[in-house]
Amino acid sequence: MPERRLIAAVYVKDPTSHEDLILLPGESPAPEIAALVTHPDAWDTPPCEDAEPEQVVVGEPDPTAAGARPDRRQGETDGGGMKKSPSRRARSSSA
């Protein structure tokens, strides 16, 4: 596995001495210290390159899935029922 290097400054607490450590960009800390840096954006490479990448499924969305909205114009395009037009009555200014 290639040596991992930091691309951002990171502050961690040494587990043995309990001192605050500042790890600078470009450093490759010891494995026990590197394990304390949990933010993935702090590193130049992912932690394990031989791990399987997350699968991304590409395709049509499921129309029955939560959050799916039906096509509101369906009635207009297939010759089905007519849509009611909004009222055109003028509102009076008196209450």
Side-chain angles (χ1 to χ4, degrees), residues 28-65:
S28 291
E32 60 274 3
I33 301 298
L36 301 173
V37 181
T38 58
H39 199 291
D41 291 342
W43 299 101
D44 65 348
T45 59
C48 186
E49 293 181 2
D50 59 347
E52 291 184 30
E54 182 179 330
Q55 291 185 357
V56 178
V57 179
V58 178
E60 293 294 322
D62 183 5
T64 61

Side-chain angles (χ1 to χ4, degrees), residues 11-44:
Y11 296 87
V12 295
K13 187 173 285 284
D14 188 322
T16 56
S17 67
H18 302 290
E19 292 180 287
D20 290 330
L21 302 175
I22 301 173
L23 307 176
L24 298 174
E27 289 184 6
S28 291
E32 60 274 3
I33 301 298
L36 301 173
V37 181
T38 58
H39 199 291
D41 291 342
W43 299 101
D44 65 348

